[in-house]
């Protein structure tokens, strides 16, 4: 009997020690479960969820962008599913499309591609399939009004003979922004901005980097405000900035889109997001709260910095 009592005490002590170690590991982050899905997603708790290629297939990409390779498209045969998935895989360990479960991931992909589709669209209301069926029509600005060189920027100075007009999936403008994005994705975009119109994977990578990265310290990323990682401050609530799709427009475009009431430009972006939700089987009724930004004060007023 004494031997069984001693054995029970040892088991209880071992269990208590294991619980304490687990608690310490959680406290220090050492106990967080990480998963490995090979090239697509590894070394992150987000990789334990379904990755984008698990729920978003090539045929769905075709449904979202059915006219991107038409003769009328200005970037025919440039954009494709593989380029998007390859670029997305770099950010899935950080939670892109892998935060909060399958439906949440699908909503984020629809939101991101909603921005992309709207910004690269050549659609109009009477176009075949409607105005939301013509995303990924462009990969660069066709008739730049200027070379977008800011000679005053010493950190990212203009390269002689290089023009910094809009290029990419979320078009980048100005030498400063090419320098920032290029540093972020480890590509020499300041010297070679043409990479964003020559390589679809790099173009998607630059766009997803912008989606995932705050543009200023102490500000959220578009990803953070969309998936619920961001908690508004008192100043944010006074400025009518709340988590949701509307705040993603605020972060990406500022007062070019937001704070101007219900505008055609804002509604054009929202319509793409909701159309893609429907096509992906989520449904536009799941667009989320705070869809609009017409009454939001810009995080970064255009008077303070050069816009993307």
């Amino acid at each position: 009997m004494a031997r069984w009592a001693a054995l029970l005490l040892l088991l209880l002590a071992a269990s208590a020690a294991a619980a304490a170690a687990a608690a310490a590991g959680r406290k220090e982050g050492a106990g967080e479960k990480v998963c490995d899905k090979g090239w697509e997603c590894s070394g992150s708790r987000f990789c334990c969820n379904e990755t984008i290629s698990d729920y978003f297939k090539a045929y769905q990409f075709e449904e979202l962008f059915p006219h991107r390779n038409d003769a009328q498209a200005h970037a025919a045969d440039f954009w494709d599913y593989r380029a998007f998935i390859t670029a997305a895989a770099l950010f899935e360990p950080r939670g892109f499309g892998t935060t909060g479960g399958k439906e949440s991931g699908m909503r984020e992909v629809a939101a991101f591609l909603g921005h992309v589709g709207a910004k690269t669209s050549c659609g109009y209301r009477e176009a075949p399939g409607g105005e939301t069926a013509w995303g990924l029509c462009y990969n660069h600005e066709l008739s730049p009004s200027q070379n977008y060189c800011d000679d005053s920027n010493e950190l990212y100075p203009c390269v002689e003979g290089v023009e910094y007009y809009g290029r990419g999936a979320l078009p980048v403008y100005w030498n400063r922004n090419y320098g920032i994005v290029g540093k972020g994705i480890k590509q020499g975009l300041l010297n070679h901005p043409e990479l964003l119109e020559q390589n679809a994977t790099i173009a998607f990578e630059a766009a997803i980097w912008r989606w995932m990265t705050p543009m200023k310290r102490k500000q959220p990323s578009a990803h953070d405000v969309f998936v619920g990682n961001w908690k508004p401050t008192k100043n944010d609530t006074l400025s009518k900035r709340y988590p949701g799709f509307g705040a993603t427009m605020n972060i990406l475009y500022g007062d070019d889109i937001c704070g101007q009431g219900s505008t055609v430009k804002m509604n054009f972006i929202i319509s793409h997001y909701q159309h893609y939700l429907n096509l992906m089987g989520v449904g536009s009724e799941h667009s989320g709260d705070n869809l609009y930004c017409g009454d939001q004060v810009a995080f970064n007023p255009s008077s303070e910095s050069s816009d993307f």
Side-chain angles (χ1 to χ4, degrees), residues 49-215:
N49 295 329
E50 289 187 90
T51 53
I52 293 172
S53 62
D54 289 328
Y55 59 76
F56 183 61
K57 305 298 184 180
Y59 79 88
Q60 293 171 297
F61 186 86
E62 299 294 330
E63 290 177 348
L64 265 60
F65 307 107
H67 297 292
R68 74 185 192 283
N69 291 327
D70 285 12
Q72 303 96 307
H74 300 279
D77 301 319
F78 180 76
W79 304 104
D80 60 37
Y81 174 77
R82 172 178 277 190
F84 170 65
I85 291 298
T86 302
L90 299 173
F91 298 90
E92 287 173 336
R94 290 172 52 187
F96 177 65
T98 55
T99 298
K102 179 179 177 180
E103 183 174 309
S104 175
M106 293 173 76
R107 289 180 63 247
E108 182 173 15
V109 169
F112 169 76
L113 290 178
H115 283 282
V116 169
K119 286 297 178 178
T120 59
S121 173
C122 57
Y124 52 97
R125 187 165 297 176
E126 294 77 21
E131 63 183 2
T132 56
W134 289 83
L136 296 181
C137 177
Y138 298 99
N139 62 8
H140 68 277
E141 187 179 7
L142 293 185
S143 301
S145 60
Q146 55 178 306
N147 63 9
Y148 297 96
C149 169
D150 177 11
D151 288 321
S152 68
N153 192 288
E154 297 180 359
L155 186 59
Y156 299 110
C158 301
V159 176
E160 185 176 356
V162 174
E163 296 186 349
Y164 298 100
Y165 55 80
R167 301 176 177 89
L170 289 178
V172 180
Y173 297 83
W174 299 100
N175 48 300
R176 170 183 176 272
N177 295 322
Y178 274 99
I180 292 172
V181 176
K183 182 179 180 181
I185 65 171
K186 297 180 172 58
Q187 295 285 345
L189 298 184
L190 187 66
N191 292 284
H192 297 287
E194 69 277 4
L195 286 173
L196 295 186
E197 58 182 294
Q198 294 177 349
N199 187 308
T201 301
I202 293 176
F204 275 127
E205 184 182 348
I208 301 172
W209 182 87
R210 282 184 60 198
W211 176 265
M212 297 295 295
T213 307
M215 291 298 99

Side-chain angles (χ1 to χ4, degrees), residues 26 98 118 277:
R26 285 193 297 271
T98 55
L277 281 176

